[in-house]
Amino acid sequence: MNNTKIEWTEMTWNPTTGCDKISAGCKFCYAEVMAKRLQAMGVEKYKNGFEVTIHEDELHAPYNWKKPKVIFVNSMSDLFHKDVPIGFIRKVFKVMKDNPQHVFQVLTKRADILRYYDSEGWLEWTHNIWMGVSVENNKVTKRIDLLRETGARVKFLSCEPLIGPIPNMNLTGIDWVIVGGESGRKPRPMKEEWVTDIKNQCLKAGVAFFFKQWGGTNKKKTGRLLEGKTWDEMPEIELHKSI
Ligand code: SF4
């Protein structure tokens, strides 16, 4: 487990690492850059670079974290990548179920695989598992529908990096929306009107809204104020509720 600078979580836990790019939001994937850097540094966990790799030895870790935490699962991968066996995904879900003192946030772009596994009854949803899909533009809003069809108790959207407008989202059954701009050396621009539109859609639908950052080449400078204020809303449930 690692402390993280990601504003909407506390820690990261990576029982799998590695991935493949599947949509426009992946273009400047931070996980890929980091995995290759850690591989070059000789870090054992990243000896396969950005190839999908299962880490059975990570499964015991959350049992040892006694203090309740909000944990982003797989910041360096996508748990629903086709090369992650369903048997291993079920082990990850068991770990999350066994540790109701923590909140686990799982985020995927493979909403079709998520939906398929759930429809087969292979995923057990406890209150402490928050399931999210990435929605970077209006071409991938189908992911929202697929997420909605799952049995996840808490459902969220990560619109980051937001690279286009997403008008008229169906937010029925969605608990939380995170928006953020791209950062790095060549970030794609994010228009303020796209962000305010999503914020207004959330306000109208009664969905918690979290504005992470404007991004850009100097994200410290661009900051995270939207219309003069910070938006740090979280789903209106107890963060560390027992199952
Ligand atoms: S799905 Fe996520 S981890 Fe995988 S390549 Fe895309 S951005 Fe990177």
Side-chain angles (χ1 to χ4, degrees):
M1 181 167 73
N2 293 304
N3 287 314
T4 176
K5 289 182 184 160
I6 302 170
E7 289 82 352
W8 47 265
T9 194
E10 290 181 317
M11 315 295 290
T12 58
W13 172 48
N14 284 286
T16 74
T17 52
C19 196
D20 289 308
K21 295 180 176 179
I22 55 153
S23 71
C26 299
K27 188 172 181 187
F28 300 117
C29 174
Y30 168 85
E32 181 183 31
V33 175
M34 274 307 292
K36 289 185 174 165
R37 190 177 299 165
L38 292 165
Q39 180 185 35
M41 287 162 63
V43 175
E44 174 65 18
K45 186 169 179 179
Y46 292 92
K47 66 178 184 213
N48 297 334
F50 200 49
E51 256 175 60
V52 174
T53 307
I54 306 300
H55 300 280
E56 291 269 353
D57 57 337
E58 284 283 349
L59 291 175
H60 63 86
Y63 295 89
N64 300 326
W65 307 328
K66 298 298 172 212
K67 212 172 149 208
K69 291 285 180 194
V70 180
I71 299 159
F72 178 26
V73 180
N74 276 354
S75 60
M76 296 294 286
S77 182
D78 185 333
L79 188 63
F80 292 94
H81 189 285
K82 64 177 173 31
D83 293 343
V84 179
I86 180 61
F88 187 74
I89 295 172
R90 287 174 58 115
K91 285 184 188 173
V92 171
F93 269 65
K94 179 168 186 320
V95 173
M96 298 192 287
K97 179 186 177 184
D98 285 350
N99 287 277
Q101 73 274 25
H102 305 308
V103 167
F104 293 90
Q105 300 161 319
V106 184
L107 180 62
T108 189
K109 285 188 174 68
R110 275 96 177 164
D112 50 345
I113 298 181
L114 161 71
R115 168 73 182 104
Y116 168 61
Y117 290 165
D118 188 58
S119 68
E120 292 291 325
W122 294 334
L123 306 175
E124 187 179 352
W125 300 104
T126 48
H127 280 103
N128 63 329
I129 303 173
W130 297 9
M131 187 67 230
V133 292
S134 302
V135 188
E136 64 265 34
N137 59 27
N138 68 354
K139 291 192 181 129
V140 291
T141 51
K142 174 78 182 150
R143 291 177 192 158
I144 308 174
D145 299 326
L146 292 166
L147 172 66
R148 192 177 4 260
E149 287 165 15
T150 71
R153 312 275 186 101
V154 178
K155 300 182 178 76
F156 70 97
L157 312 181
S158 169
C159 303
E160 187 195 9
L162 184 63
I163 52 175
I166 317 180
N168 305 317
M169 281 189 289
N170 179 355
L171 293 174
T172 307
I174 302 301
D175 300 287
W176 190 31
V177 175
I178 301 162
V179 172
E182 194 157 59
S183 48
R185 277 187 300 145
K186 290 184 186 167
R188 290 164 284 183
M190 176 175 69
K191 290 193 181 169
E192 181 165 355
E193 68 212 48
W194 304 343
V195 185
T196 49
D197 178 49
I198 293 174
K199 184 258 299 171
N200 289 338
Q201 290 181 57
C202 288
L203 288 179
K204 195 170 165 203
V207 173
F209 176 75
F210 192 105
F211 182 54
K212 185 178 168 219
Q213 61 176 37
W214 285 105
T217 48
N218 185 346
K219 65 180 187 176
K220 273 196 187 142
K221 198 170 161 200
T222 51
R224 51 189 305 264
L225 290 179
L226 174 65
E227 296 175 331
K229 66 173 270 193
T230 49
W231 295 81
D232 286 337
E233 293 172 358
M234 300 283 275
E236 281 209 7
I237 56 163
E238 284 178 59
L239 273 186
H240 299 293
K241 191 173 185 173
S242 301
I243 55 172

